[in-house]
Amino acid sequence: MHGIVLGGDGLIVENLCGLADLPTHVQVGFFPFKLQGDGAPVRAVAFLDD
């Protein structure tokens, strides 16, 4: 499954927490840390409308 998603220029994000506190529709951004390797931790941000 990972190969299919990544092969289609998709993004896989795992182990997020606090999602139940967000509204149903939000914009999100994932900003990876510059580390060597094939995976990296990210800073995940939810952008909420006023």
Side-chain angles (χ1 to χ4, degrees):
M1 182 61 122
H2 282 83
I4 294 170
V5 173
L6 297 174
D9 289 332
L11 179 66
I12 298 171
V13 180
E14 301 174 317
N15 300 321
L16 296 176
C17 61
L19 299 178
D21 298 330
L22 294 175
T24 304
H25 293 89
V26 297
Q27 290 185 0
V28 294
F30 301 104
F31 305 97
F33 296 106
K34 293 183 179 183
L35 300 176
Q36 298 297 322
D38 64 348
V42 299
R43 182 173 311 274
V45 179
F47 298 97
L48 306 176
D49 291 330
D50 288 337

